[in-house]
Amino acid sequence: MSASMKRILCCSRISVLPLHKTGNCAASTKDALGSTHSPSCALFLQQRQLHNKQFSAGTASTPVDRRRTCYPDFEVGHQKRLFFSWFRRGLNAVDNTRIKDFGPDRCSAEWIIKTGGKIRWAGTTRFEDNYNSLPPEQDRSYKLEEINADNSEIMGMGFANFRGIKNLKKLTMNNCKYLDDEGMFYLEEHTSDCLEHLEFSHCKVTEAGLQHLTHLRKLKVLKAHHLSGVKNPEDIEKNMQSALPSCDVSIK
């Protein structure tokens, strides 16, 4: 601890109670839930109980969260989850102004690459996964033909980037744990006149999401496997095959 910090603590008369890990001290105690704590943590728990009693009596402003007082790692993990959730939503955010200025192909390519996927332009055989390799923003001659978003962090909200796309033929999204029914809604809305091959697995898509895909009129191949939200895959497969007679449907 720096000298300036020590001076601040001394001037403020703040007592810092170290929270030892369970089992580090033989004189540890157990709380009402059976968790073991060191003497310093036990004293902290007593203070917490007193504070909560005061809160119940109306003399304290807020209760003390047991998870945060007894387990400081909880707060760290909670903040990490909030940060990564915010970060993922930022990667999947849709900028309608950019779509209008630079087109859906460019914006969709940016979205897929930022979330960890790769794209292939029409007329080429090579996949691109480097953001810096994208063509100039003003060049609208590049058209998306295939997307491989396997193991990416795409979310349903991001599929609104497809608004106005016309040349996308193939889309694979295996092991995308944040993919959900919202994505299926936008996918059907914006690719019903172009998408021919769709494949996804191990995601949050349910039977309700699959129903949106029955409107993909040009679809020739549909593979939807290992979806925990689909309880009767055989029945769903029959229904979807009936709705898409020209499509090879496989739901497992």
Side-chain angles (χ1 to χ4, degrees), residues 28-91:
S28 58
T29 60
K30 289 188 177 181
D31 64 8
L33 298 180
S35 300
T36 307
H37 307 283
S38 64
S40 58
C41 189
L43 177 59
F44 195 94
L45 291 175
Q46 292 175 3
Q47 295 174 346
R48 175 183 62 83
Q49 292 171 354
L50 177 60
H51 181 90
N52 286 347
K53 288 181 180 179
Q54 294 172 346
F55 173 78
S56 300
T59 57
S61 58
T62 57
V64 179
D65 190 333
R66 178 185 184 280
R67 297 171 298 182
R68 288 177 168 80
T69 57
C70 304
Y71 306 102
D73 288 342
F74 170 84
E75 182 67 24
V76 175
H78 179 67
Q79 293 298 332
K80 284 182 177 180
R81 287 192 296 272
L82 287 177
F83 170 77
F84 285 113
S85 176
W86 167 84
F87 182 71
R88 282 192 298 271
R89 293 186 68 84
L91 292 177

Short mmCIF file of all heavy atoms in Angstrom, two decimals, residues 28-91:
data_model
loop_
_atom_site.label_atom_id
_atom_site.label_comp_id
_atom_site.label_asym_id
_atom_site.label_seq_id
_atom_site.Cartn_x
_atom_site.Cartn_y
_atom_site.Cartn_z
N SER A 28 -11.95 -20.73 12.68
CA SER A 28 -13.01 -20.25 11.80
C SER A 28 -14.37 -20.59 12.38
O SER A 28 -14.50 -21.46 13.24
CB SER A 28 -12.87 -20.88 10.41
OG SER A 28 -12.91 -22.29 10.51
N THR A 29 -15.41 -19.88 11.89
CA THR A 29 -16.77 -20.10 12.37
C THR A 29 -17.68 -20.40 11.20
O THR A 29 -17.32 -20.21 10.05
CB THR A 29 -17.27 -18.85 13.10
OG1 THR A 29 -17.26 -17.74 12.20
CG2 THR A 29 -16.40 -18.54 14.31
N LYS A 30 -18.90 -20.84 11.48
CA LYS A 30 -19.89 -21.12 10.46
C LYS A 30 -21.08 -20.21 10.62
O LYS A 30 -21.50 -19.92 11.73
CB LYS A 30 -20.34 -22.59 10.53
CG LYS A 30 -19.28 -23.57 10.08
CD LYS A 30 -19.86 -24.98 10.00
CE LYS A 30 -18.81 -25.97 9.47
NZ LYS A 30 -19.37 -27.33 9.36
N ASP A 31 -21.62 -19.77 9.47
CA ASP A 31 -22.81 -18.94 9.53
C ASP A 31 -24.06 -19.82 9.45
O ASP A 31 -23.98 -21.04 9.47
CB ASP A 31 -22.80 -17.88 8.42
CG ASP A 31 -22.85 -18.50 7.03
OD1 ASP A 31 -23.05 -19.72 6.94
OD2 ASP A 31 -22.70 -17.73 6.06
N ALA A 32 -25.22 -19.17 9.32
CA ALA A 32 -26.48 -19.90 9.33
C ALA A 32 -26.65 -20.81 8.12
O ALA A 32 -27.42 -21.75 8.15
CB ALA A 32 -27.65 -18.91 9.40
N LEU A 33 -25.92 -20.50 7.04
CA LEU A 33 -26.02 -21.32 5.84
C LEU A 33 -24.97 -22.41 5.80
O LEU A 33 -24.86 -23.14 4.83
CB LEU A 33 -25.88 -20.42 4.60
CG LEU A 33 -26.96 -19.36 4.44
CD1 LEU A 33 -26.70 -18.56 3.17
CD2 LEU A 33 -28.34 -20.01 4.37
N GLY A 34 -24.16 -22.52 6.85
CA GLY A 34 -23.18 -23.58 6.92
C GLY A 34 -21.85 -23.24 6.29
O GLY A 34 -20.97 -24.09 6.21
N SER A 35 -21.64 -22.01 5.85
CA SER A 35 -20.39 -21.61 5.24
C SER A 35 -19.38 -21.26 6.32
O SER A 35 -19.72 -20.68 7.35
CB SER A 35 -20.59 -20.40 4.32
OG SER A 35 -21.51 -20.72 3.30
N THR A 36 -18.12 -21.62 6.11
CA THR A 36 -17.08 -21.42 7.10
C THR A 36 -16.35 -20.11 6.84
O THR A 36 -16.04 -19.79 5.70
CB THR A 36 -16.07 -22.58 7.05
OG1 THR A 36 -16.78 -23.80 7.18
CG2 THR A 36 -15.04 -22.46 8.17
N HIS A 37 -16.05 -19.35 7.92
CA HIS A 37 -15.41 -18.06 7.77
C HIS A 37 -14.34 -17.90 8.84
O HIS A 37 -14.41 -18.48 9.92
CB HIS A 37 -16.42 -16.92 7.91
CG HIS A 37 -17.61 -17.08 7.00
ND1 HIS A 37 -17.55 -16.80 5.67
CD2 HIS A 37 -18.87 -17.51 7.26
CE1 HIS A 37 -18.72 -17.05 5.11
NE2 HIS A 37 -19.54 -17.48 6.05
N SER A 38 -13.31 -17.10 8.52
CA SER A 38 -12.24 -16.79 9.47
C SER A 38 -12.76 -15.82 10.53
O SER A 38 -13.82 -15.24 10.38
CB SER A 38 -11.06 -16.18 8.72
OG SER A 38 -11.45 -14.96 8.15
N PRO A 39 -11.98 -15.60 11.65
CA PRO A 39 -12.45 -14.69 12.70
C PRO A 39 -12.77 -13.29 12.18
O PRO A 39 -13.76 -12.68 12.57
CB PRO A 39 -11.28 -14.68 13.68
CG PRO A 39 -10.62 -16.00 13.49
CD PRO A 39 -10.75 -16.31 12.03
N SER A 40 -11.90 -12.75 11.29
CA SER A 40 -12.17 -11.41 10.79
C SER A 40 -13.45 -11.38 9.97
O SER A 40 -14.23 -10.43 10.04
CB SER A 40 -10.99 -10.93 9.94
OG SER A 40 -10.76 -11.82 8.86
N CYS A 41 -13.66 -12.43 9.19
CA CYS A 41 -14.88 -12.49 8.40
C CYS A 41 -16.09 -12.70 9.31
O CYS A 41 -17.16 -12.18 9.07
CB CYS A 41 -14.79 -13.62 7.37
SG CYS A 41 -16.15 -13.63 6.18
N ALA A 42 -15.91 -13.48 10.40
CA ALA A 42 -17.00 -13.68 11.34
C ALA A 42 -17.42 -12.37 11.98
O ALA A 42 -18.60 -12.09 12.17
CB ALA A 42 -16.57 -14.69 12.42
N LEU A 43 -16.41 -11.52 12.32
CA LEU A 43 -16.72 -10.20 12.87
C LEU A 43 -17.48 -9.37 11.84
O LEU A 43 -18.44 -8.66 12.18
CB LEU A 43 -15.42 -9.50 13.27
CG LEU A 43 -15.57 -8.06 13.80
CD1 LEU A 43 -16.46 -8.04 15.04
CD2 LEU A 43 -14.20 -7.46 14.10
N PHE A 44 -17.07 -9.48 10.59
CA PHE A 44 -17.76 -8.74 9.53
C PHE A 44 -19.20 -9.20 9.41
O PHE A 44 -20.12 -8.40 9.22
CB PHE A 44 -17.02 -8.93 8.20
CG PHE A 44 -17.42 -7.95 7.14
CD1 PHE A 44 -16.71 -6.79 6.97
CD2 PHE A 44 -18.52 -8.19 6.34
CE1 PHE A 44 -17.06 -5.88 6.00
CE2 PHE A 44 -18.89 -7.28 5.37
CZ PHE A 44 -18.15 -6.12 5.21
N LEU A 45 -19.42 -10.53 9.54
CA LEU A 45 -20.77 -11.07 9.47
C LEU A 45 -21.64 -10.55 10.61
O LEU A 45 -22.83 -10.27 10.43
CB LEU A 45 -20.73 -12.59 9.49
CG LEU A 45 -20.14 -13.27 8.25
CD1 LEU A 45 -20.06 -14.77 8.47
CD2 LEU A 45 -20.97 -12.97 7.03
N GLN A 46 -21.05 -10.44 11.80
CA GLN A 46 -21.79 -9.89 12.93
C GLN A 46 -22.20 -8.45 12.66
O GLN A 46 -23.33 -8.03 12.95
CB GLN A 46 -20.93 -9.98 14.19
CG GLN A 46 -20.68 -11.41 14.67
CD GLN A 46 -19.73 -11.46 15.85
OE1 GLN A 46 -19.30 -10.43 16.35
NE2 GLN A 46 -19.40 -12.67 16.29
N GLN A 47 -21.28 -7.68 12.07
CA GLN A 47 -21.61 -6.30 11.73
C GLN A 47 -22.71 -6.26 10.67
O GLN A 47 -23.59 -5.39 10.72
CB GLN A 47 -20.35 -5.59 11.22
CG GLN A 47 -19.27 -5.43 12.27
CD GLN A 47 -17.99 -4.85 11.70
OE1 GLN A 47 -17.82 -4.80 10.48
NE2 GLN A 47 -17.09 -4.43 12.57
N ARG A 48 -22.64 -7.18 9.74
CA ARG A 48 -23.67 -7.22 8.70
C ARG A 48 -25.04 -7.53 9.30
O ARG A 48 -26.04 -6.92 8.95
CB ARG A 48 -23.31 -8.27 7.65
CG ARG A 48 -24.39 -8.48 6.59
CD ARG A 48 -24.01 -9.59 5.63
NE ARG A 48 -23.86 -10.85 6.30
CZ ARG A 48 -24.89 -11.66 6.60
NH1 ARG A 48 -26.12 -11.31 6.28
NH2 ARG A 48 -24.68 -12.80 7.22
N GLN A 49 -25.07 -8.52 10.22
CA GLN A 49 -26.34 -8.88 10.86
C GLN A 49 -26.91 -7.70 11.64
O GLN A 49 -28.12 -7.44 11.60
CB GLN A 49 -26.12 -10.09 11.77
CG GLN A 49 -25.79 -11.37 11.01
CD GLN A 49 -25.37 -12.50 11.94
OE1 GLN A 49 -25.21 -12.29 13.14
NE2 GLN A 49 -25.18 -13.70 11.38
N LEU A 50 -26.04 -6.98 12.34
CA LEU A 50 -26.49 -5.81 13.08
C LEU A 50 -27.04 -4.75 12.13
O LEU A 50 -28.09 -4.14 12.39
CB LEU A 50 -25.34 -5.24 13.90
CG LEU A 50 -25.64 -3.95 14.69
CD1 LEU A 50 -26.77 -4.19 15.68
CD2 LEU A 50 -24.39 -3.45 15.40
N HIS A 51 -26.33 -4.55 11.02
CA HIS A 51 -26.79 -3.55 10.05
C HIS A 51 -28.15 -3.93 9.47
O HIS A 51 -29.03 -3.09 9.31
CB HIS A 51 -25.76 -3.43 8.92
CG HIS A 51 -26.12 -2.41 7.88
ND1 HIS A 51 -25.74 -1.09 7.97
CD2 HIS A 51 -26.85 -2.52 6.74
CE1 HIS A 51 -26.21 -0.43 6.93
NE2 HIS A 51 -26.88 -1.27 6.16
N ASN A 52 -28.33 -5.21 9.16
CA ASN A 52 -29.60 -5.64 8.59
C ASN A 52 -30.74 -5.52 9.59
O ASN A 52 -31.89 -5.25 9.22
CB ASN A 52 -29.49 -7.08 8.08
CG ASN A 52 -28.69 -7.17 6.79
OD1 ASN A 52 -28.42 -6.15 6.16
ND2 ASN A 52 -28.30 -8.38 6.41
N LYS A 53 -30.45 -5.75 10.86
CA LYS A 53 -31.46 -5.54 11.89
C LYS A 53 -31.85 -4.06 11.94
O LYS A 53 -33.03 -3.72 12.08
CB LYS A 53 -30.94 -6.00 13.25
CG LYS A 53 -30.85 -7.51 13.38
CD LYS A 53 -30.35 -7.90 14.78
CE LYS A 53 -30.26 -9.42 14.93
NZ LYS A 53 -29.75 -9.81 16.26
N GLN A 54 -30.84 -3.20 11.82
CA GLN A 54 -31.12 -1.77 11.81
C GLN A 54 -31.94 -1.39 10.58
O GLN A 54 -32.81 -0.53 10.64
CB GLN A 54 -29.81 -0.98 11.84
CG GLN A 54 -29.04 -1.13 13.15
CD GLN A 54 -27.67 -0.49 13.08
OE1 GLN A 54 -27.18 -0.15 12.00
NE2 GLN A 54 -27.03 -0.32 14.23
N PHE A 55 -31.64 -2.05 9.46
CA PHE A 55 -32.41 -1.79 8.24
C PHE A 55 -33.86 -2.19 8.44
O PHE A 55 -34.79 -1.48 8.05
CB PHE A 55 -31.80 -2.56 7.07
CG PHE A 55 -32.62 -2.47 5.81
CD1 PHE A 55 -32.58 -1.34 5.01
CD2 PHE A 55 -33.45 -3.53 5.44
CE1 PHE A 55 -33.34 -1.27 3.86
CE2 PHE A 55 -34.21 -3.46 4.28
CZ PHE A 55 -34.16 -2.32 3.49
N SER A 56 -34.09 -3.36 9.06
CA SER A 56 -35.45 -3.81 9.32
C SER A 56 -36.19 -2.87 10.25
O SER A 56 -37.40 -2.69 10.14
CB SER A 56 -35.43 -5.23 9.92
OG SER A 56 -34.81 -6.14 9.03
N ALA A 57 -35.44 -2.25 11.16
CA ALA A 57 -36.05 -1.32 12.11
C ALA A 57 -36.21 0.08 11.52
O ALA A 57 -36.79 0.96 12.15
CB ALA A 57 -35.22 -1.26 13.39
N GLY A 58 -35.66 0.28 10.32
CA GLY A 58 -35.80 1.57 9.66
C GLY A 58 -34.70 2.55 9.98
O GLY A 58 -34.80 3.72 9.63
N THR A 59 -33.63 2.12 10.67
CA THR A 59 -32.55 3.04 11.03
C THR A 59 -31.36 2.93 10.11
O THR A 59 -30.39 3.67 10.25
CB THR A 59 -32.09 2.74 12.47
OG1 THR A 59 -31.68 1.37 12.56
CG2 THR A 59 -33.21 3.03 13.46
N ALA A 60 -31.36 2.00 9.14
CA ALA A 60 -30.29 1.88 8.15
C ALA A 60 -30.90 1.98 6.76
O ALA A 60 -32.03 1.57 6.53
CB ALA A 60 -29.56 0.54 8.31
N SER A 61 -30.14 2.57 5.84
CA SER A 61 -30.70 2.87 4.52
C SER A 61 -30.82 1.65 3.62
O SER A 61 -31.79 1.50 2.88
CB SER A 61 -29.84 3.93 3.82
OG SER A 61 -28.50 3.47 3.70
N THR A 62 -29.83 0.76 3.64
CA THR A 62 -29.84 -0.39 2.73
C THR A 62 -29.39 -1.64 3.45
O THR A 62 -28.57 -1.58 4.37
CB THR A 62 -28.89 -0.16 1.54
OG1 THR A 62 -27.57 0.10 2.03
CG2 THR A 62 -29.36 1.01 0.69
N PRO A 63 -29.90 -2.82 3.05
CA PRO A 63 -29.40 -4.06 3.62
C PRO A 63 -28.06 -4.42 3.02
O PRO A 63 -27.67 -3.91 1.98
CB PRO A 63 -30.47 -5.08 3.19
CG PRO A 63 -30.98 -4.53 1.90
CD PRO A 63 -30.94 -3.04 2.04
N VAL A 64 -27.33 -5.27 3.68
CA VAL A 64 -26.04 -5.72 3.19
C VAL A 64 -26.22 -7.06 2.48
O VAL A 64 -26.78 -7.99 3.03
CB VAL A 64 -25.03 -5.87 4.35
CG1 VAL A 64 -23.69 -6.36 3.82
CG2 VAL A 64 -24.85 -4.54 5.05
N ASP A 65 -25.77 -7.13 1.24
CA ASP A 65 -25.88 -8.34 0.45
C ASP A 65 -24.85 -9.36 0.94
O ASP A 65 -23.65 -9.11 0.89
CB ASP A 65 -25.63 -8.02 -1.03
CG ASP A 65 -25.97 -9.19 -1.94
OD1 ASP A 65 -25.89 -10.35 -1.47
OD2 ASP A 65 -26.30 -8.94 -3.11
N ARG A 66 -25.34 -10.51 1.41
CA ARG A 66 -24.44 -11.52 1.96
C ARG A 66 -23.41 -11.97 0.94
O ARG A 66 -22.25 -12.21 1.26
CB ARG A 66 -25.26 -12.73 2.44
CG ARG A 66 -24.40 -13.85 2.98
CD ARG A 66 -25.26 -15.07 3.31
NE ARG A 66 -24.44 -16.10 3.90
CZ ARG A 66 -23.68 -16.92 3.23
NH1 ARG A 66 -23.58 -16.82 1.92
NH2 ARG A 66 -22.95 -17.84 3.84
N ARG A 67 -23.81 -12.08 -0.32
CA ARG A 67 -22.89 -12.56 -1.33
C ARG A 67 -21.72 -11.61 -1.53
O ARG A 67 -20.60 -12.02 -1.79
CB ARG A 67 -23.63 -12.75 -2.66
CG ARG A 67 -24.73 -13.78 -2.60
CD ARG A 67 -25.55 -13.76 -3.87
NE ARG A 67 -26.23 -12.48 -4.05
CZ ARG A 67 -27.04 -12.22 -5.05
NH1 ARG A 67 -27.27 -13.13 -5.98
NH2 ARG A 67 -27.63 -11.05 -5.15
N ARG A 68 -21.98 -10.30 -1.36
CA ARG A 68 -20.92 -9.32 -1.58
C ARG A 68 -20.05 -9.14 -0.34
O ARG A 68 -18.86 -8.84 -0.45
CB ARG A 68 -21.53 -7.98 -1.99
CG ARG A 68 -22.10 -8.01 -3.41
CD ARG A 68 -22.77 -6.70 -3.76
NE ARG A 68 -23.07 -6.60 -5.18
CZ ARG A 68 -24.12 -7.17 -5.77
NH1 ARG A 68 -24.96 -7.89 -5.05
NH2 ARG A 68 -24.32 -7.04 -7.07
N THR A 69 -20.61 -9.27 0.87
CA THR A 69 -19.83 -9.07 2.08
C THR A 69 -18.98 -10.28 2.41
O THR A 69 -17.85 -10.15 2.85
CB THR A 69 -20.75 -8.76 3.26
OG1 THR A 69 -21.69 -9.83 3.41
CG2 THR A 69 -21.49 -7.46 3.05
N CYS A 70 -19.52 -11.48 2.22
CA CYS A 70 -18.81 -12.69 2.60
C CYS A 70 -17.94 -13.22 1.48
O CYS A 70 -16.95 -13.89 1.72
CB CYS A 70 -19.79 -13.78 3.02
SG CYS A 70 -20.89 -13.27 4.35
N TYR A 71 -18.33 -12.94 0.24
CA TYR A 71 -17.62 -13.48 -0.90
C TYR A 71 -17.27 -12.35 -1.86
O TYR A 71 -18.03 -12.05 -2.78
CB TYR A 71 -18.47 -14.54 -1.62
CG TYR A 71 -18.95 -15.61 -0.68
CD1 TYR A 71 -20.27 -15.61 -0.20
CD2 TYR A 71 -18.09 -16.61 -0.24
CE1 TYR A 71 -20.70 -16.58 0.67
CE2 TYR A 71 -18.52 -17.59 0.63
CZ TYR A 71 -19.83 -17.57 1.09
OH TYR A 71 -20.25 -18.55 1.94
N PRO A 72 -16.14 -11.69 -1.64
CA PRO A 72 -15.78 -10.56 -2.49
C PRO A 72 -15.65 -10.94 -3.96
O PRO A 72 -15.83 -10.11 -4.84
CB PRO A 72 -14.44 -10.09 -1.91
CG PRO A 72 -13.93 -11.23 -1.11
CD PRO A 72 -15.14 -11.94 -0.59
N ASP A 73 -15.34 -12.22 -4.26
CA ASP A 73 -15.23 -12.65 -5.65
C ASP A 73 -16.57 -12.55 -6.37
O ASP A 73 -16.60 -12.47 -7.60
CB ASP A 73 -14.73 -14.09 -5.73
CG ASP A 73 -13.25 -14.19 -5.35
OD1 ASP A 73 -12.59 -13.13 -5.37
OD2 ASP A 73 -12.79 -15.29 -5.06
N PHE A 74 -17.67 -12.58 -5.62
CA PHE A 74 -19.00 -12.46 -6.25
C PHE A 74 -19.11 -11.13 -6.97
O PHE A 74 -19.57 -11.06 -8.10
CB PHE A 74 -20.10 -12.57 -5.20
CG PHE A 74 -21.47 -12.21 -5.73
CD1 PHE A 74 -22.23 -13.14 -6.40
CD2 PHE A 74 -21.96 -10.91 -5.58
CE1 PHE A 74 -23.48 -12.80 -6.91
CE2 PHE A 74 -23.21 -10.57 -6.09
CZ PHE A 74 -23.96 -11.52 -6.75
N GLU A 75 -18.68 -10.06 -6.30
CA GLU A 75 -18.78 -8.73 -6.90
C GLU A 75 -17.92 -8.65 -8.15
O GLU A 75 -18.35 -8.09 -9.17
CB GLU A 75 -18.33 -7.67 -5.88
CG GLU A 75 -18.44 -6.24 -6.39
CD GLU A 75 -19.87 -5.80 -6.59
OE1 GLU A 75 -20.77 -6.39 -5.96
OE2 GLU A 75 -20.08 -4.89 -7.40
N VAL A 76 -16.72 -9.22 -8.10
CA VAL A 76 -15.84 -9.20 -9.26
C VAL A 76 -16.48 -9.96 -10.43
O VAL A 76 -16.52 -9.49 -11.55
CB VAL A 76 -14.47 -9.81 -8.91
CG1 VAL A 76 -13.59 -9.91 -10.15
CG2 VAL A 76 -13.79 -8.98 -7.84
N GLY A 77 -17.00 -11.17 -10.14
CA GLY A 77 -17.63 -11.96 -11.19
C GLY A 77 -18.86 -11.28 -11.75
O GLY A 77 -19.11 -11.32 -12.96
N HIS A 78 -19.63 -10.63 -10.88
CA HIS A 78 -20.83 -9.92 -11.32
C HIS A 78 -20.47 -8.79 -12.27
O HIS A 78 -21.10 -8.61 -13.31
CB HIS A 78 -21.57 -9.39 -10.10
CG HIS A 78 -22.81 -8.62 -10.42
ND1 HIS A 78 -23.93 -9.21 -10.98
CD2 HIS A 78 -23.12 -7.30 -10.27
CE1 HIS A 78 -24.86 -8.29 -11.16
NE2 HIS A 78 -24.40 -7.13 -10.74
N GLN A 79 -19.44 -8.03 -11.91
CA GLN A 79 -19.02 -6.92 -12.75
C GLN A 79 -18.48 -7.42 -14.09
O GLN A 79 -18.71 -6.80 -15.14
CB GLN A 79 -17.94 -6.09 -12.03
CG GLN A 79 -18.45 -5.37 -10.79
CD GLN A 79 -19.53 -4.35 -11.13
OE1 GLN A 79 -19.56 -3.82 -12.22
NE2 GLN A 79 -20.41 -4.09 -10.18
N LYS A 80 -17.77 -8.55 -14.07
CA LYS A 80 -17.26 -9.12 -15.32
C LYS A 80 -18.40 -9.52 -16.23
O LYS A 80 -18.37 -9.28 -17.44
CB LYS A 80 -16.37 -10.33 -15.03
CG LYS A 80 -14.99 -9.97 -14.51
CD LYS A 80 -14.15 -11.22 -14.30
CE LYS A 80 -12.75 -10.88 -13.84
NZ LYS A 80 -11.94 -12.11 -13.63
N ARG A 81 -19.44 -10.16 -15.66
CA ARG A 81 -20.57 -10.58 -16.47
C ARG A 81 -21.28 -9.38 -17.08
O ARG A 81 -21.69 -9.40 -18.24
CB ARG A 81 -21.54 -11.42 -15.62
CG ARG A 81 -21.02 -12.82 -15.30
CD ARG A 81 -22.12 -13.68 -14.72
NE ARG A 81 -22.60 -13.16 -13.45
CZ ARG A 81 -22.07 -13.47 -12.28
NH1 ARG A 81 -21.02 -14.27 -12.22
NH2 ARG A 81 -22.56 -12.96 -11.16
N LEU A 82 -21.44 -8.32 -16.28
CA LEU A 82 -22.08 -7.11 -16.80
C LEU A 82 -21.26 -6.50 -17.93
O LEU A 82 -21.80 -6.07 -18.95
CB LEU A 82 -22.25 -6.09 -15.68
CG LEU A 82 -23.33 -6.37 -14.64
CD1 LEU A 82 -23.33 -5.30 -13.56
CD2 LEU A 82 -24.70 -6.45 -15.29
N PHE A 83 -19.93 -6.49 -17.75
CA PHE A 83 -19.07 -5.89 -18.77
C PHE A 83 -19.15 -6.67 -20.07
O PHE A 83 -19.33 -6.10 -21.15
CB PHE A 83 -17.62 -5.85 -18.29
CG PHE A 83 -16.65 -5.48 -19.38
CD1 PHE A 83 -16.52 -4.17 -19.81
CD2 PHE A 83 -15.88 -6.46 -20.00
CE1 PHE A 83 -15.65 -3.83 -20.82
CE2 PHE A 83 -15.01 -6.13 -21.02
CZ PHE A 83 -14.88 -4.81 -21.42
N PHE A 84 -19.02 -8.01 -20.00
CA PHE A 84 -19.02 -8.80 -21.22
C PHE A 84 -20.40 -8.80 -21.88
O PHE A 84 -20.50 -8.88 -23.10
CB PHE A 84 -18.56 -10.23 -20.93
CG PHE A 84 -17.08 -10.34 -20.73
CD1 PHE A 84 -16.55 -10.68 -19.49
CD2 PHE A 84 -16.21 -10.08 -21.77
CE1 PHE A 84 -15.18 -10.77 -19.32
CE2 PHE A 84 -14.84 -10.17 -21.60
CZ PHE A 84 -14.32 -10.51 -20.36
N SER A 85 -21.47 -8.72 -21.07
CA SER A 85 -22.80 -8.61 -21.65
C SER A 85 -22.93 -7.30 -22.41
O SER A 85 -23.45 -7.26 -23.54
CB SER A 85 -23.86 -8.68 -20.54
OG SER A 85 -25.15 -8.48 -21.07
N TRP A 86 -22.45 -6.21 -21.82
CA TRP A 86 -22.47 -4.91 -22.49
C TRP A 86 -21.60 -4.95 -23.74
O TRP A 86 -21.98 -4.42 -24.79
CB TRP A 86 -21.97 -3.84 -21.52
CG TRP A 86 -21.66 -2.54 -22.17
CD1 TRP A 86 -22.52 -1.53 -22.47
CD2 TRP A 86 -20.37 -2.09 -22.64
NE1 TRP A 86 -21.86 -0.48 -23.07
CE2 TRP A 86 -20.55 -0.80 -23.20
CE3 TRP A 86 -19.10 -2.66 -22.62
CZ2 TRP A 86 -19.48 -0.07 -23.73
CZ3 TRP A 86 -18.05 -1.94 -23.17
CH2 TRP A 86 -18.25 -0.66 -23.71
N PHE A 87 -20.44 -5.60 -23.64
CA PHE A 87 -19.52 -5.67 -24.77
C PHE A 87 -20.13 -6.45 -25.94
O PHE A 87 -20.04 -6.02 -27.09
CB PHE A 87 -18.22 -6.34 -24.32
CG PHE A 87 -17.17 -6.43 -25.38
CD1 PHE A 87 -16.52 -5.30 -25.82
CD2 PHE A 87 -16.85 -7.65 -25.96
CE1 PHE A 87 -15.53 -5.37 -26.82
CE2 PHE A 87 -15.88 -7.74 -26.95
CZ PHE A 87 -15.22 -6.59 -27.38
N ARG A 88 -20.79 -7.59 -25.64
CA ARG A 88 -21.42 -8.39 -26.70
C ARG A 88 -22.54 -7.61 -27.38
O ARG A 88 -22.69 -7.66 -28.60
CB ARG A 88 -21.95 -9.70 -26.13
CG ARG A 88 -20.89 -10.75 -25.89
CD ARG A 88 -21.52 -12.09 -25.59
NE ARG A 88 -22.33 -12.06 -24.39
CZ ARG A 88 -21.88 -12.31 -23.17
NH1 ARG A 88 -20.60 -12.61 -22.99
NH2 ARG A 88 -22.67 -12.28 -22.13
N ARG A 89 -23.31 -6.91 -26.60
CA ARG A 89 -24.40 -6.12 -27.19
C ARG A 89 -23.84 -5.00 -28.07
O ARG A 89 -24.44 -4.65 -29.09
CB ARG A 89 -25.30 -5.54 -26.09
CG ARG A 89 -26.07 -6.59 -25.32
CD ARG A 89 -27.05 -5.95 -24.35
NE ARG A 89 -28.12 -5.26 -25.05
CZ ARG A 89 -29.21 -5.85 -25.51
NH1 ARG A 89 -29.37 -7.15 -25.37
NH2 ARG A 89 -30.14 -5.14 -26.11
N GLY A 90 -22.69 -4.46 -27.69
CA GLY A 90 -22.06 -3.46 -28.52
C GLY A 90 -21.61 -4.03 -29.86
O GLY A 90 -21.75 -3.39 -30.90
N LEU A 91 -21.06 -5.25 -29.83
CA LEU A 91 -20.64 -5.91 -31.07
C LEU A 91 -21.82 -6.18 -31.99
O LEU A 91 -21.66 -6.20 -33.21
CB LEU A 91 -19.92 -7.22 -30.75
CG LEU A 91 -18.57 -7.15 -30.04
CD1 LEU A 91 -18.05 -8.55 -29.76
CD2 LEU A 91 -17.55 -6.37 -30.87
#
